[in-house]
Amino acid sequence: MKKVLKRIILALIVMLVLAQIPFIYRRIQTGRLAHTLSTEQKAAQPKPPRSDGFDEYKGVIHVHTSLGGHSTGGFDELTAAAAANDLDFVVMTEHVSTAYDTAALTLNGFHGKTLFVGGNEGDTADGDRMLVVPGGGDVAGLHMLPTKTAFEKTHADNRLVFVAYPESYKTWDADFDGAEVFSVATNSRNINPFVLLFDLIWSFPSYPELTTASYFKRPDANLQKFDEVAANRHISLLAGICAHSNIGYSLFSDDVGNKPIGFKIDPYEMVFRLVRLHLVAKKGEPLTRERLVDTFKKGNFYNGFDVIGDSSGFSFTVKDGDVTKTMGDEVTLSPQTKLTASAPLPARFVVFKNGEKFFEQTDSTEIFVNVSERAAYRIEAYRDALGSPFDKMPWIISNPIYVR
Ligand SMILES: [Zn+2]
Ligand SMILES: [Zn+2]
């Protein structure tokens, strides 16, 4: 009997060891990718100023602190992470409270070079969830209203409202300003816990960002929903992070917050490196709170998954007479209407026309596309050369140019 037990234990140990092989292989692959990206970064020339007539500002949206509950992040960690990532802006989306105004209490204004804008994440009586920018004490009350009424009130109060968690959102005919088609948090929730456990042991400690990014999946269904709405009216497309800085593990921690042994898998500094919004705004005007909110409304920006390559400098424009217009803008169709796009690294450009694949060009840094039909045109750029999953998960997702 003892012999059998020994054998069973031995077999289990062998199986456990063998089960590590794919995860060790993943660590090697992730290490190779990290090496490729760091070599590329070292070889990169200093970025030339944008030649399309716009200034660029990079930042993130959908960030929580401990103010609204279930996040453990604090202001010090947040401002340090924004500075370390050289961010121009951070849009806060604190959970609401019926007792106090979390959007006013969170970071607002400049801290270092980073402009913070206090917004909220909230929900409606229909169970739809949204981001409200800027936020306010009355956003908590929207929980009592049907979605359409809640969004009307939000607009009457001069705030923007973006659909959050589109996968469970229902009221698509409501009047909103945009949709968060990608969320780092939502994406992470779909990871197989078994895979995650062993990746946390093998790959994560050395390559936290790239291990996280290796789980990224193109949000097909959310993009399709976005395209259906954008075919009929102007909305903004955004990729958020839903940063809470609260997933981790610690031993011997005390109530004061000391954690002698432990680690966090989602510190702000790490998640701020994953995906950023790059605003393109008229040259020479400083970034202010009003301007930031206005740019979000206009959709003058693209979403760059900078974890797999700095997307700064990406450009997507069209001439409207003598005027150069960019993502989020509307342009009148003419026989000369031609879309122009360029990326700072070679990529596969895919142009979508009202959600249908319309044009594709591989291994390019620049494309020119003539258009002869009125539609919403947006671009996804892929870095196929980096291998799976980045041949299917975009590096850049632009906002549409609306040809009317
Ligand atoms: Zn939350
Ligand atoms: Zn959130």
Side-chain angles (χ1 to χ4, degrees), residues 62 64 93 95 121 165 242 244:
H62 200 156
H64 300 279
T93 52
H95 295 294
E121 178 177 336
Y165 313 99
C242 196
H244 284 79

Short mmCIF file of all heavy atoms in Angstrom, two decimals, residues 62 64 93 95 121 165 242 244, ligand 2:
data_model
loop_
_atom_site.label_atom_id
_atom_site.label_comp_id
_atom_site.label_asym_id
_atom_site.label_seq_id
_atom_site.Cartn_x
_atom_site.Cartn_y
_atom_site.Cartn_z
N HIS A 62 -9.49 56.23 -17.05
CA HIS A 62 -10.12 55.19 -16.21
C HIS A 62 -9.17 54.73 -15.10
O HIS A 62 -8.61 53.63 -15.14
CB HIS A 62 -10.59 54.00 -17.07
CG HIS A 62 -11.64 53.18 -16.36
ND1 HIS A 62 -12.55 52.39 -17.02
CD2 HIS A 62 -11.91 53.03 -15.03
CE1 HIS A 62 -13.33 51.78 -16.14
NE2 HIS A 62 -12.96 52.16 -14.93
N HIS A 64 -8.72 54.65 -10.77
CA HIS A 64 -9.37 54.75 -9.46
C HIS A 64 -8.31 54.89 -8.36
O HIS A 64 -7.19 54.45 -8.52
CB HIS A 64 -10.14 53.46 -9.15
CG HIS A 64 -11.22 53.15 -10.13
ND1 HIS A 64 -12.45 53.74 -10.08
CD2 HIS A 64 -11.26 52.30 -11.18
CE1 HIS A 64 -13.20 53.26 -11.07
NE2 HIS A 64 -12.50 52.39 -11.76
N THR A 93 -11.43 58.37 -12.76
CA THR A 93 -12.85 57.95 -12.85
C THR A 93 -13.21 57.28 -11.54
O THR A 93 -13.40 56.06 -11.49
CB THR A 93 -13.07 56.97 -14.01
OG1 THR A 93 -12.12 55.90 -13.87
CG2 THR A 93 -12.88 57.63 -15.36
N HIS A 95 -15.04 55.85 -8.30
CA HIS A 95 -16.37 55.31 -8.01
C HIS A 95 -17.14 56.38 -7.25
O HIS A 95 -16.55 57.17 -6.51
CB HIS A 95 -16.26 54.05 -7.15
CG HIS A 95 -15.58 52.91 -7.84
ND1 HIS A 95 -16.12 52.29 -8.93
CD2 HIS A 95 -14.40 52.29 -7.60
CE1 HIS A 95 -15.29 51.32 -9.33
NE2 HIS A 95 -14.23 51.32 -8.56
N GLU A 121 -16.88 56.97 -12.37
CA GLU A 121 -17.50 55.80 -12.98
C GLU A 121 -18.82 55.60 -12.23
O GLU A 121 -18.86 55.67 -11.01
CB GLU A 121 -16.60 54.56 -12.79
CG GLU A 121 -17.24 53.29 -13.36
CD GLU A 121 -16.32 52.06 -13.25
OE1 GLU A 121 -15.09 52.21 -13.17
OE2 GLU A 121 -16.87 50.94 -13.25
N TYR A 165 -17.67 49.12 -20.16
CA TYR A 165 -18.05 47.70 -20.23
C TYR A 165 -19.10 47.46 -21.31
O TYR A 165 -20.21 47.00 -21.02
CB TYR A 165 -18.55 47.21 -18.87
CG TYR A 165 -17.63 47.61 -17.75
CD1 TYR A 165 -17.93 48.71 -16.95
CD2 TYR A 165 -16.43 46.94 -17.53
CE1 TYR A 165 -17.05 49.14 -15.96
CE2 TYR A 165 -15.55 47.35 -16.54
CZ TYR A 165 -15.88 48.45 -15.76
OH TYR A 165 -15.00 48.87 -14.79
N CYS A 242 -8.90 51.01 -16.21
CA CYS A 242 -9.59 50.63 -14.97
C CYS A 242 -8.55 50.19 -13.94
O CYS A 242 -8.57 49.07 -13.44
CB CYS A 242 -10.64 49.54 -15.19
SG CYS A 242 -11.79 49.41 -13.81
N HIS A 244 -6.82 49.97 -10.47
CA HIS A 244 -7.22 50.02 -9.06
C HIS A 244 -6.01 49.93 -8.13
O HIS A 244 -6.11 50.25 -6.96
CB HIS A 244 -8.16 48.87 -8.72
CG HIS A 244 -9.56 49.06 -9.21
ND1 HIS A 244 -9.91 48.83 -10.50
CD2 HIS A 244 -10.69 49.45 -8.57
CE1 HIS A 244 -11.21 49.05 -10.64
NE2 HIS A 244 -11.71 49.44 -9.49
ZN ZN B 2 -13.32 51.07 -13.16
#
